[in-house]
Amino acid sequence: MLRLNPSFDAQKDVVASILAKEERANIGVLEPRILSVEKDGGVVYSWRGATGTTRIGKYDPHSTENKLLYTFDKQVCVSSCSLNKEETLLAVSLSQSTHGAFKPVSKCLTLLIEIHPINNTKVLKAVDCKVKVQFLYPKTCRTTVLESHLLLAAEDGYVDQYHITLTRQEGYRVVMQSPERLSRERVAEDFSWVQWDSDTQRLFYLTAREKHTLKCVQFYPDRNFETVFELPLEMPSVSSVASSMRFVNFGYDHYQDSKDEGLRIEVFTSLTERTMCVCYSPPVHWHKDATYTIAFVHRGCSKTFTVSLEKGSAPANLPTVHPIFIHLDYYIVVYLADHFLHLINCRQQDLLCYSLFLSGADGHIETLGLGREVVSVSGSRLLDVRAGTMYTMELNPDFLLELLSAARPEAQRLAALHCMLVYLQPNPVMELKIINWISENVMSFDAFDQIQEFILASLYRISYQQCVSLDKLLPYSCVFEKKELPVALTAIPGVKCTPELLCQPIIKGKPKSLQGYWEELQLVLERMRYFEGVPSPRFRTSLIKEDWDRFQAAMNSEKEKSPHCHRQIEENTKKVLSMVDTWRLDKRVVPLFQEEDQQQRVLVSLMVDKLREHLNKHLSRLGKKKIDLLVVNYAAKLLELVWHVLELMWQKLKLGPWVLCIQEQGSSEEWAMFHVMLRILEATKGLCLPLPPGYSTLLSVLGVRCLPQHTFLQYVDHGLLQLTEPFVSRLMTDLDNSDANEQLKFSILKRLPEHMEQRVSQQWDHPIISACISREYVRTLLEKYSENRDSALLDCGKSCSYPDFLPLNYLTKILWNREEQAQNPFEEQENVDVRFVEETALKQTQIKLDFEVK
């Protein structure tokens, strides 16, 4: 699961260098012991010389060179050591043995040594308790710093800071100025646990009073420091289970008692993730369960996990051990050798299924076997103190892919998929493997839909990289769209989780100093308190469904939309499509974005409107322009993502332009493509997400090639396939008029809305269609004629029945109305010469028939 890459090996990087520089007779016993790892990555170590000396050196990981810092002329026990940034001062804490006839005056001697060049040595402490030393590494723009600052942490429960002023002599010698009068300040006192964070220059400590309070001291480049953070914690008493002070990241004491019965505590912070996690666990006894707690300060809650260990899996005489806590920014890794590995999600704490729990062989790390003394080092590194080896760590993507197999529990499959999509930020090779896995397991799982998860998790990762404030507002999983959470995702077999709320942390300090991490953490805590009082702050795509159904009904009934609504749809869609990445459009093989596709344009616009409204409600501080850009980019990335999946599948199946020809039968590769596209349609339809314009047309073309006609029509009737106008037009023109094709065309025309049927039917060269066109044409002409002559001629309210032949119907209506308007010749008329009228009518008839010239 974890891939460990050696970054430092004492045997290879130190011993080989010493053998090359010195004569073997003068080397002595080459047992280099790592003393500390400084902020710049340098490893400070010691080894015993041939003449009873003790030497201290430094390994530079950047130049891969070793440098001798200081030599004691006798064998000493170095329990703590630190080198200042300029490599001019060395602070050393020596443990003095209490065995033998004569006991030393003090157990611990702390020295401050000038090493550029080797010169004076000052005794800082000579006490009967352990003392740890650590130089500060302040960020400064000055190239030459003539001041160093040293932390001295004593087992008696206090930390002092020494300010050491340096001066340059003879152009190169750097010595202490007034070493007898070094100024110092008390940083912290009355604590039972202390941790140094070299990367951020922070000191965490836990007060030893009845109610434990975690405090943090931040050190600044201008030699100032202040307590910026306090958090009350409910945890087992540290002093009751441990008789000695616990130091974390203050170097590695090879002479202390290895028996560890105390409570192990570690604090991890991340600026990129804006998180703070406090991890602690009591020692694990092999015949009992393992318990560990992760306090997610940025989430305001803690979770205590209790893991049932296999009884009798280890001999009864094995010593107690602690789980190892490893920080990977997005995850906290809890590892207990030969038992389990728990990958705990620091950002998503809604369900256990977004954390990955592995036991047995799956959770075993060969390098970190039982009995190893391993500690976590800043920068996602592990140090095997006894072996003298340091490792960088990363998750193994190949192993995560194995966890997607059908034999795995669905909770593991979901956690592995989420990890690869959100945390690992897949490269093209891994992305192709994930898409291949989806195509091979295309049917939805019982507990979650893998295609929906792929889409939402990918969009969440992309959007979070653009604006971390979207963390609590955008959907990251399809599970929460379900009405009821699947049982398979709510629990882990053998693991009990007990959540609790944390006390409200206090962030103190001057406003100017609260920058960077502390400012971000304060914003996170404020947003957390806000969202606690907001029902359903995370955007749900189901909010679009009601408006989408209403739009569909209006489009099918050909209701006229308001000009404002139509203009808004066009503006939203135009913005989204302009953001779609088309820089390699000439190399794209899937024919999308080549038609209007009004339904998808409406759905894109609805999604933009709803998401914009949601973000403006909860994240108004970003401003409307920023929110509008985020929303438009979210919709554009969705269309790009679907397009990219289809491109990879198209290339994998080696499909070509012939797929668009509907006259031939589809191949097995086309059927596979059709099946994947159908599942993508089903997944996006379930979330009410838009698809790229042209998707429905391409799917229908594949459907008519791959499916029998009656099955194809059933897919249409059940809403799985959509009869778009470009598809129907192509069907009418490309298919011949065989009996089967005629039946298919008529069946499709019957299923079209009336307004679309009138447009596309004219493209089919068929006698029946021609007759329909002629009938409609005559009807149009007669309507125009009747409207021009007399609008009252077409009285549709008459209760007369006519044959179903439009020309005859309209001619009958016209004659009927003309007959009613004409005078009745049989009614009596005064002063009418009937004979004259008859002769005149006969004369006019002859003229009309060309029998007589007028």
Side-chain angles (χ1 to χ4, degrees):
M1 178 62 187
L2 281 182
R3 181 184 292 165
L4 272 62
N5 304 310
S7 59
F8 172 78
D9 189 325
Q11 293 298 320
K12 295 180 180 178
D13 298 321
V14 175
V15 174
S17 175
I18 296 175
L19 289 174
K21 291 181 179 179
E22 302 185 23
E23 296 181 8
R24 185 172 296 273
N26 298 326
I27 290 175
V29 182
L30 286 178
E31 293 181 358
R33 294 179 174 179
I34 296 176
L35 301 177
S36 65
V37 179
E38 300 291 357
K39 182 182 177 180
D40 59 1
V43 181
V44 180
Y45 57 89
S46 67
W47 80 94
R48 287 184 293 169
T51 59
T53 60
T54 300
R55 300 185 178 189
I56 297 177
K58 178 189 176 182
Y59 171 78
D60 188 343
H62 307 291
S63 63
T64 66
E65 294 181 353
N66 289 275
K67 179 180 180 180
L68 177 64
L69 300 176
Y70 190 75
T71 301
F72 290 96
D73 56 7
K74 63 179 181 178
Q75 290 188 9
V76 295
C77 302
V78 182
S79 62
S80 181
C81 183
S82 183
L83 178 69
N84 70 342
K85 186 177 181 180
E86 295 74 30
E87 299 186 0
T88 57
L89 294 176
L90 187 69
V92 180
S93 185
L94 304 178
S95 296
Q96 304 190 68
S97 175
T98 59
H99 301 289
F102 299 98
K103 293 184 179 180
V105 177
S106 59
K107 294 181 182 179
C108 183
L109 186 65
T110 304
L111 306 175
L112 184 61
I113 307 171
E114 297 173 350
I115 60 172
H116 190 77
I118 296 174
N119 195 25
N120 295 329
T121 299
K122 176 178 175 56
V123 178
L124 293 179
K125 286 285 183 179
V127 293
D128 287 336
C129 65
K130 293 181 181 178
V131 175
K132 300 292 183 179
V133 291
Q134 178 62 57
F135 275 105
L136 300 183
Y137 275 60
K139 291 182 179 179
T140 178
C141 299
R142 292 179 294 173
T143 55
T144 58
V145 179
L146 295 180
E147 187 177 40
S148 289
H149 309 282
L150 175 69
L151 293 182
L152 190 147
E155 193 177 23
D156 288 345
Y158 65 87
V159 176
D160 288 339
Q161 179 181 200
Y162 286 81
H163 302 290
I164 307 160
T165 304
L166 303 174
T167 183
R168 191 179 299 276
Q169 297 178 354
E170 301 175 9
Y172 72 99
R173 295 167 57 90
V174 178
V175 298
M176 290 181 284
Q177 183 177 353
S178 303
E180 67 280 357
R181 295 192 303 272
L182 296 180
S183 64
R184 65 176 177 176
E185 297 177 84
R186 180 59 52 91
V187 176
E189 59 185 354
D190 192 20
F191 57 81
S192 56
W193 169 92
V194 63
Q195 172 182 316
W196 172 247
D197 190 337
S198 61
D199 285 346
T200 58
Q201 300 291 284
R202 297 180 191 133
L203 184 77
F204 294 93
Y205 65 95
L206 198 65
T207 57
R209 300 184 182 92
E210 292 182 0
K211 189 173 183 179
H212 300 297
T213 301
L214 178 69
K215 296 185 179 182
C216 178
V217 178
Q218 178 71 65
F219 293 89
Y220 302 106
D222 58 357
R223 72 182 278 175
N224 291 323
F225 63 90
E226 62 178 336
T227 302
V228 295
F229 178 84
E230 291 185 6
L231 173 67
L233 286 174
E234 297 289 341
M235 60 170 56
S237 176
V238 180
S239 58
S240 64
V241 294
S243 58
S244 60
M245 172 71 60
R246 292 192 58 83
F247 299 96
V248 180
N249 294 340
F250 274 94
Y252 315 104
D253 190 352
H254 295 263
Y255 301 97
Q256 67 179 0
D257 187 2
S258 60
K259 187 177 181 180
D260 189 0
E261 295 289 343
L263 189 72
R264 172 169 290 183
I265 310 171
E266 289 190 61
V267 179
F268 299 110
T269 60
S270 171
L271 176 60
T272 56
E273 289 292 326
R274 304 189 302 174
T275 59
M276 176 185 285
C277 298
V278 183
C279 311
Y280 55 92
S281 70
V284 177
H285 301 273
W286 295 111
H287 60 284
K288 296 182 179 179
D289 296 338
T291 302
Y292 48 94
T293 301
I294 313 293
F296 303 98
V297 179
H298 56 285
R299 292 299 187 198
C301 67
S302 69
K303 291 190 175 182
T304 300
F305 299 91
T306 304
V307 181
S308 299
L309 303 181
E310 296 181 9
K311 306 302 179 183
S313 59
N317 59 350
L318 280 180
T320 57
V321 295
H322 283 89
I324 301 172
F325 297 111
I326 306 169
H327 189 216
L328 295 179
D329 273 351
Y330 193 79
Y331 290 101
I332 295 289
V333 180
V334 184
Y335 176 68
L336 185 60
D338 296 342
H339 282 279
F340 65 83
L341 185 149
H342 197 177
L343 199 66
I344 301 176
N345 197 317
C346 295
R347 196 191 301 173
Q348 312 303 347
Q349 287 300 314
D350 304 289
L351 290 176
L352 293 178
C353 58
Y354 296 103
S355 300
L356 186 59
F357 184 85
L358 301 171
S359 59
D362 292 334
H364 179 68
I365 303 176
E366 185 65 32
T367 312
L368 307 180
L370 191 63
R372 299 270 188 157
E373 186 179 347
V374 181
V375 294
S376 181
V377 186
S378 60
S380 299
R381 292 174 295 176
L382 275 183
L383 177 63
D384 189 334
V385 179
R386 299 301 179 190
T389 309
M390 189 160 57
Y391 305 93
T392 59
M393 293 168 295
E394 60 181 357
L395 295 179
N396 187 349
D398 294 330
F399 183 80
L400 290 172
L401 284 169
E402 292 178 10
L403 294 179
L404 298 178
S405 64
R408 297 286 181 171
E410 293 199 357
Q412 279 191 7
R413 301 170 87 178
L414 178 59
L417 181 61
H418 182 85
C419 177
M420 287 188 289
L421 294 174
V422 178
Y423 172 71
L424 291 183
Q425 303 180 13
N427 54 42
V429 176
M430 189 171 69
E431 188 178 49
L432 180 59
K433 291 180 179 179
I434 296 173
I435 293 174
N436 287 339
W437 170 76
I438 291 177
S439 65
E440 294 168 0
N441 301 270
V442 72
M443 299 307 297
S444 176
F445 302 147
D446 294 333
F448 69 99
D449 187 313
Q450 64 272 33
I451 296 179
Q452 291 181 348
E453 193 70 20
F454 175 80
I455 292 174
L456 291 181
S458 300
L459 288 175
Y460 172 82
R461 181 194 75 243
I462 296 170
S463 301
Y464 184 82
Q465 291 171 346
Q466 297 172 345
C467 180
V468 293
S469 299
L470 299 175
D471 176 28
K472 295 285 287 184
L473 294 173
L474 289 182
Y476 64 89
S477 175
C478 65
V479 175
F480 300 101
E481 295 290 338
K482 296 179 178 290
K483 294 181 180 179
E484 294 183 2
L485 291 176
V487 179
L489 303 182
T490 56
I492 302 175
V495 180
K496 179 184 176 183
C497 177
T498 306
E500 291 183 1
L501 293 178
L502 291 177
C503 296
Q504 186 68 37
I506 301 172
I507 296 181
K508 306 189 299 184
K510 301 176 183 178
K512 292 183 179 180
S513 63
L514 289 180
Q515 298 178 357
Y517 172 79
W518 297 112
E519 182 182 18
E520 292 294 326
L521 183 62
Q522 193 170 36
L523 286 175
V524 168
L525 294 174
E526 290 175 358
R527 289 177 58 241
M528 178 192 68
R529 290 192 290 269
Y530 166 75
F531 287 124
E532 284 177 352
V534 176
S536 303
R538 203 172 295 279
F539 179 72
R540 292 182 179 268
T541 56
S542 55
L543 298 173
I544 309 172
K545 184 170 176 49
E546 183 178 347
D547 289 345
W548 170 236
D549 292 340
R550 186 167 61 251
F551 265 96
Q552 275 190 313
M555 291 170 67
N556 291 334
S557 60
E558 204 182 6
K559 291 182 180 179
E560 193 68 27
K561 295 185 286 290
S562 65
H564 173 72
C565 180
H566 181 74
R567 184 169 60 253
Q568 186 178 15
I569 291 174
E570 289 302 317
E571 287 178 358
N572 289 339
T573 309
K574 186 177 180 181
K575 288 180 182 178
V576 172
L577 295 181
S578 66
M579 294 285 287
V580 174
D581 180 16
T582 56
W583 65 279
R584 294 181 62 186
L585 189 60
D586 56 328
K587 296 185 179 181
R588 301 278 191 178
V589 293
V590 181
L592 299 177
F593 297 96
Q594 297 179 5
E595 61 180 77
E596 289 293 325
D597 203 340
Q598 186 62 21
Q599 285 200 359
Q600 296 303 326
R601 295 175 77 90
V602 170
L603 193 51
V604 167
S605 178
L606 281 176
M607 180 181 177
V608 169
D609 283 339
K610 290 294 183 181
L611 186 55
R612 182 194 291 126
E613 177 184 348
H614 187 78
L615 296 186
N616 279 324
K617 180 180 179 181
H618 299 295
L619 212 60
S620 56
R621 66 180 180 84
L622 290 181
K624 291 186 177 180
K625 290 186 177 180
K626 175 69 172 177
I627 289 177
D628 190 64
L629 180 62
L630 290 172
V631 169
V632 169
N633 191 69
Y634 186 85
K637 291 301 179 183
L638 167 62
L639 302 182
E640 280 185 24
L641 185 64
V642 176
W643 194 8
H644 182 58
V645 171
L646 296 184
E647 285 282 328
L648 293 178
M649 283 298 301
W650 198 279
Q651 294 171 6
K652 174 188 174 182
L653 297 172
K654 299 180 180 179
L655 301 179
W658 61 85
V659 172
L660 304 179
C661 179
I662 61 177
Q663 298 174 347
E664 300 177 0
Q665 188 75 18
S667 62
S668 58
E669 289 80 10
E670 293 170 41
W671 165 253
M673 188 72 190
F674 171 74
H675 197 194
V676 171
M677 289 187 66
L678 195 64
R679 275 288 295 117
I680 293 176
L681 175 66
E682 180 186 0
T684 54
K685 192 174 182 180
L687 296 174
C688 214
L689 295 177
L691 288 167
Y695 189 95
S696 298
T697 298
L698 178 59
L699 182 60
S700 297
V701 168
L702 288 171
V704 82
R705 284 175 60 92
C706 298
L707 298 174
Q709 287 189 7
H710 66 279
T711 307
F712 174 82
L713 296 174
Q714 285 181 345
Y715 275 48
V716 172
D717 294 337
H718 286 83
L720 300 176
L721 295 177
Q722 182 184 345
L723 298 176
T724 63
E725 188 167 337
F727 166 71
V728 178
S729 299
R730 176 173 292 180
L731 194 76
M732 295 298 164
T733 56
D734 291 0
L735 290 184
D736 57 23
N737 291 336
S738 63
D739 293 341
N741 290 341
E742 279 190 4
Q743 183 179 359
L744 176 62
K745 291 180 180 180
F746 280 122
S747 299
I748 289 176
L749 289 175
K750 285 169 56 178
R751 289 166 168 81
L752 295 178
E754 184 179 351
H755 60 281
M756 186 189 297
E757 179 191 2
Q758 293 175 359
R759 290 196 298 268
V760 300
S761 61
Q762 300 180 17
Q763 303 177 33
W764 184 15
D765 185 12
H766 190 274
I768 296 180
I769 298 299
S770 300
C772 293
I773 294 174
S774 301
R775 182 174 65 179
E776 188 63 28
Y777 179 70
V778 172
R779 175 178 178 172
T780 303
L781 290 179
L782 290 174
E783 283 179 347
K784 289 182 180 179
Y785 174 76
S786 61
E787 288 173 1
N788 293 335
R789 295 298 300 270
D790 192 349
S791 60
L793 295 181
L794 300 177
D795 185 7
C796 298
K798 289 187 175 294
S799 58
C800 301
S801 59
Y802 303 108
D804 190 17
F805 182 62
L806 288 177
L808 181 59
N809 291 350
Y810 282 94
L811 180 60
T812 304
K813 289 181 181 181
I814 292 173
L815 294 177
W816 181 276
N817 286 278
R818 291 300 181 187
E819 183 179 9
E820 289 183 346
Q821 295 174 4
Q823 292 182 342
N824 190 343
F826 298 102
E827 292 181 358
E828 294 184 359
Q829 301 287 339
E830 296 181 358
N831 302 323
V832 175
D833 189 344
V834 179
R835 183 65 180 172
F836 175 76
V837 172
E838 291 177 352
E839 291 179 354
T840 302
L842 179 61
K843 191 71 172 177
Q844 292 295 328
T845 302
Q846 290 176 347
I847 292 173
K848 289 286 186 183
L849 297 176
D850 294 332
F851 289 122
E852 184 175 343
V853 180
K854 184 175 179 180

